[in-house]
Amino acid sequence: MSAAARRRPDRSPARAILPALALLVLTACSPEAAEPEPVFAGASAAPAPVADASSAVPPALSYEGDAVSGLGLPWSIVVLDDGSLLVSERDTGEIRRINGTTREVIGTIADATAAAGEGGLLGLAVADSADPAALYAYYTSAMDNRVVRLPLGDGGLGAPEPILTGIPKADIHNGGRIAVGPDGHLYIGTGDAGVRPNAQDPGNLGGKILRITVDGDIPADNPIPGSPVYSLGHRNVQGLAWDSAGSLWATEFGPEIDDELNLVQPGGNYGWPEVTGAPGDSRFLDAQVVWPLTASSSPSGMTILDDIAYIGGLRGQRLWQVPLEGGTAGEPVSHFDGSYGRLRDVAGAEGGSLLVATNEPGGARILRIAVGPSG
C-alpha cells in the first residue's frame, strides 16, 4: 500500500491499518450497528502475557458521592497538599478554593470573561519548585491564549503575571491544559485555533505541546533551541499526565473521527492536519489509542495512577480507563456511561481515589470515585 493510500485525512474512513475496524465504522451507519470499539496499541501486537497492559484486569471503580456540587462550568482541578481543591470556572474567570464544605473565590481573572465559545479560564497547575509558591493558569484573553503566574498565599491569589503569551485564540480549539512535569517544568497543551496550518508551523504556538520553566524561560534541552515547542502536529490537546517511567501522555480531540491518546516524544510530530489516528505514515507518530467516533469519547482531562490513565469523556459522557505498560497502551475500558453528563477533568486524590469534574447543565459537580482492586 502506498503512503498516499495510507494517509488519513481528517474526514476519511476509520483506521486503515485495521481492516476489521474499517468494517465496524462502515456498519456503524446502520441503526442496529454497535458503537465501534477504540483501537489501542496492543491490538496490533503479538499475543501478550497476562501481565501486559493489553490484557491486565484494571481496578474496579465506584461512585462514592460528591466532593462538591452546585458549580458553574468547572474546567480544571488542582489538589493541594492539605487536601483542599483549587477549581477554575471557565465562563466567570473565577478560581475557587474548596475545603470540605467551605468554598471561596480566592481570585478572578477578569480578562478571561471576554472569551467566547470554548475559550475562558481553562487549565490550572501548582509548581512545588516555584519560589514563592504560585498558581499557574491558562486562559483566553481579548488578544490571545496565555499562561500567567499568580502568587499563592494564605490570603488568596496575587495579581496575574504573564509568562507566556501569543498562543492563537479562537472560539474553538483553544487547548488549555497545563501541568508541571517530573522535571519541574511547565507543559502546556494548545489547539490550532481553527487554523489547521498552525499545527505544522514550528514558529506558531498553536497545535502544540509547549515546555517552559516555571519562570517562563525556555529550557536549554528543548527540541528546538530557543523555542517553547516540545511537540507539534496536534489539533486540540486537552489532557497531560506522566506515567511511572516519567513518560508524557496527552489526550487530543479529533474531528468527527479519531480522538487520540498519544505517547509524547520530544520533537515528535503527530500529523494534524495531514493525518489523524494511527495510519502508519512514517512521517508522523501514531496515536496509542484511537476512538473512531468522537461521540464515544472526546477525551478531556486525565490523570495517571499506578500506570493506568483515567480520562474524562465529554461527548462520550464516560470515564475511560486505559492501562499503560512500557510505553504501550492497553485496552480501554469505559465506566459510568451517560450517568454524570460531560466529564471535563480528572485528578488523583487522597487514598488513591479520583476526583472527576462534570459539566452537567444546571449544576456541575466534582465526583469522588473510589479505585478498588482488580476484579
Side-chain angles (χ1 to χ4, degrees):
M1 182 180 291
S2 69
R6 289 197 310 267
R7 186 175 302 157
R8 292 287 312 284
D10 62 282
R11 296 178 188 272
S12 68
R15 189 179 181 182
I17 62 172
L18 290 175
L21 179 62
L23 178 61
L24 280 173
V25 172
L26 289 172
T27 57
C29 296
S30 166
E32 294 80 17
E35 182 179 278
E37 293 294 325
V39 178
F40 59 102
S44 58
V50 173
D52 186 85
S54 63
S55 58
V57 178
L61 303 182
S62 59
Y63 167 66
E64 286 195 321
D66 296 344
V68 61
S69 59
L71 299 173
L73 197 70
W75 208 93
S76 181
I77 307 168
V78 169
V79 182
L80 299 179
D81 290 342
D82 64 2
S84 63
L85 312 179
L86 298 181
V87 179
S88 63
E89 291 273 8
R90 190 189 74 181
D91 293 347
T92 64
E94 294 177 344
I95 299 169
R96 298 179 180 271
R97 184 165 187 159
I98 300 167
N99 192 353
T101 59
T102 302
R103 65 175 76 182
E104 58 178 330
V105 177
I106 61 170
T108 301
I109 300 180
D111 197 16
T113 62
E118 298 172 5
L121 176 57
L122 304 176
L124 301 178
V126 170
D128 294 335
S129 58
D131 187 18
L135 175 71
Y136 296 83
Y138 182 115
Y139 76 94
T140 312
S141 76
M143 299 174 293
D144 58 8
N145 285 300
R146 55 180 52 196
V147 178
V148 296
R149 178 172 55 189
L150 303 96
L152 176 61
D154 294 337
L157 294 173
E161 171 198 356
I163 62 169
L164 183 65
T165 61
I167 302 168
K169 60 161 280 189
D171 288 352
I172 59 173
H173 304 182
N174 287 295
R177 194 66 60 188
I178 58 176
V180 177
D183 56 9
H185 294 323
L186 190 63
Y187 291 74
I188 302 158
T190 74
D192 68 7
V195 181
R196 296 182 177 193
N198 285 348
Q200 290 295 323
D201 180 358
N204 189 294
L205 300 183
K208 309 291 189 299
I209 294 175
L210 310 175
R211 178 179 183 248
I212 60 175
T213 72
V214 293
D215 296 320
D217 297 326
I218 307 299
D221 59 347
N222 267 13
I224 303 174
S227 169
V229 172
Y230 190 72
S231 63
L232 70 160
H234 300 286
R235 182 174 182 267
N236 195 11
V237 177
Q238 294 290 296
L240 299 169
W242 287 262
D243 63 22
S244 63
S247 297
L248 173 61
W249 296 80
T251 61
E252 182 169 342
F253 289 162
E256 285 80 6
I257 60 170
D258 291 357
D259 288 331
E260 298 176 357
L261 174 64
N262 287 300
L263 176 63
V264 180
Q265 304 291 344
N269 189 330
Y270 291 82
W272 178 257
E274 298 298 321
V275 300
T276 62
D281 189 317
S282 61
R283 298 173 299 162
F284 306 115
L285 295 174
D286 281 350
Q288 288 271 322
V289 175
V290 181
W291 287 270
L293 295 181
T294 59
S296 67
S297 187
S298 297
S300 189
M302 168 177 58
T303 193
I304 297 175
L305 299 178
D306 296 327
D307 284 337
I308 296 178
Y310 296 92
I311 303 167
L314 289 174
R315 287 188 65 193
Q317 299 188 17
R318 65 196 70 181
L319 182 66
W320 284 101
Q321 186 182 48
V322 184
L324 311 172
E325 179 73 26
T328 300
E331 183 173 5
V333 178
S334 71
H335 298 266
F336 315 118
D337 298 19
S339 297
Y340 305 110
R342 294 160 63 86
L343 304 185
R344 175 66 70 176
D345 195 18
V346 186
E350 59 185 352
S353 61
L354 300 171
L355 295 172
V356 180
T358 78
N359 282 173
E360 297 165 283
R365 49 186 165 155
I366 296 176
L367 315 174
R368 191 175 297 279
I369 304 296
V371 180
S374 300

